[in-house]
Amino acid sequence: MVPLRACLDDLYMLWRQRIEERRPFQYVVGCEHWRDLVLSVEEGVLIPRPETEMIVDLVNDAVKEKEELKEGLWADLGTGSGALAIEIGRILGDYGKVIATDLSPVAVRVASYNVQRYNLQDKIAVKQGSWFEPLKNVEGELAGLVSNPPYIPSAHIGCLQAEVAKHEPRLALDGGANGMNDLLHLCNGAISMLKPGGFVALETNGETQSKFLVDHMDTETKGSFHNVKIISDFAGIQRFVTGYRAR
């Protein structure tokens, strides 16, 4: 016989939330398995996606290629559960540090809990604020910047599956009319925040957004970045844009 950790009435209520209200399973159980992490999540915090895991690999590759990046200050903007910040902190080991920012107080609380859970509170600082606002005192000092920002076009939010549209935070989903508002803001802000040679990796909604962002970097911010690439995710979707701040 297996002892139950909750009474049957509570389990039945949770099951009804999952089936009838289409509440995401991760919110029902309060956690998500992501890479080798078990992360606390709750309503108000975006559930980390499998495709976002590749950003960790991109950062790891960049650090291996340019050793000086490992000793610098990194930023994870719109950190949500803190997933990317935690994994980057582990990559940096005994060297660099990470600042994780989020506008949502719920996300800041949950990310802080997850950071403490992995005993990285001395390496990762979680700060509340909109994008670059909490980073004003480190302008031009970042070795790396990553983000999985809102990139769903506003009109498409209602068409998402019910688990996402009804329960996940719109703040973490809605990227404006064409989904590019925050991506362009992050790209433009990275110019002043990254030190020469600094690395940037941004997640997009796919091929159209990725190509739009690269074109913007090649024209509107011409000369600010080099070695700009579009990287496909595990499903072959052109999902990520990476580059380095020009020296």
Side-chain angles (χ1 to χ4, degrees):
M1 181 179 292
V2 178
L4 293 175
R5 297 174 63 182
C7 70
L8 288 175
D9 287 344
D10 289 343
L11 291 173
Y12 177 66
M13 179 189 69
L14 292 172
W15 184 246
R16 286 191 61 181
Q17 288 178 2
R18 173 70 191 108
I19 299 302
E20 296 178 9
E21 300 175 23
R22 299 285 294 275
R23 190 176 182 219
F25 179 74
Q26 293 90 337
Y27 291 157
V28 173
V29 300
C31 69
E32 169 67 326
H33 292 256
W34 193 81
R35 288 179 72 94
D36 59 342
L37 303 176
V38 180
L39 298 165
S40 174
V41 292
E42 62 181 71
E43 300 234 11
V45 177
L46 188 74
I47 299 167
R49 294 336 197 235
E51 57 267 25
T52 307
E53 295 180 11
M54 185 170 283
I55 291 182
V56 180
D57 298 322
L58 296 173
V59 170
N60 194 41
D61 291 343
V63 166
K64 286 181 178 179
E65 184 178 333
K66 299 189 175 186
E67 195 69 26
E68 67 269 21
L69 294 178
K70 194 168 188 176
E71 300 176 2
L73 179 64
W74 285 71
D76 171 24
L77 304 184
T79 193
S81 65
L84 286 173
I86 291 170
E87 286 288 25
I88 292 171
R90 296 167 87 184
I91 288 172
L92 300 180
D94 297 329
Y95 301 96
K97 291 186 178 294
V98 183
I99 299 175
T101 74
D102 206 292
L103 183 59
S104 164
V106 178
V108 168
R109 174 170 53 79
V110 170
S112 298
Y113 173 83
N114 286 324
V115 166
Q116 292 174 17
R117 182 175 188 174
Y118 286 94
N119 198 31
L120 290 168
Q121 59 269 26
D122 293 334
K123 177 168 286 292
I124 302 171
V126 183
K127 299 185 178 184
Q128 185 178 351
S130 177
W131 301 126
F132 299 103
E133 285 179 6
L135 303 175
K136 290 178 180 177
N137 63 328
V138 294
E139 186 171 351
E141 298 178 18
L142 295 183
L145 184 158
V146 302
S147 183
N148 172 24
Y151 52 60
I152 306 297
S154 302
H156 296 181
I157 300 290
C159 302
L160 300 173
Q161 64 186 62
E163 284 84 351
V164 179
K166 290 177 61 177
H167 294 279
E168 295 205 64
R170 189 175 183 117
L171 182 68
L173 298 170
D174 192 340
N178 63 357
M180 292 297 301
N181 287 5
D182 296 299
L183 281 165
L184 291 175
H185 178 70
L186 289 167
C187 179
N188 294 336
I191 298 171
S192 61
M193 295 306 303
L194 288 170
K195 64 182 183 180
F199 178 75
V200 60
L202 301 174
E203 180 173 329
T204 78
N205 198 24
E207 179 179 353
T208 300
Q209 289 189 357
S210 289
K211 290 183 175 179
F212 188 99
L213 193 59
V214 168
D215 182 64
H216 177 81
M217 295 168 82
D218 286 342
T219 55
E220 299 300 318
T221 67
K222 189 173 183 179
S224 297
F225 299 97
H226 71 92
N227 200 21
V228 175
K229 296 179 181 178
I230 294 176
I231 309 292
S232 297
D233 64 16
F234 302 120
I237 297 171
Q238 295 183 338
R239 178 76 62 187
F240 308 100
V241 173
T242 66
Y244 292 88
R245 181 72 172 92
R247 293 188 180 275

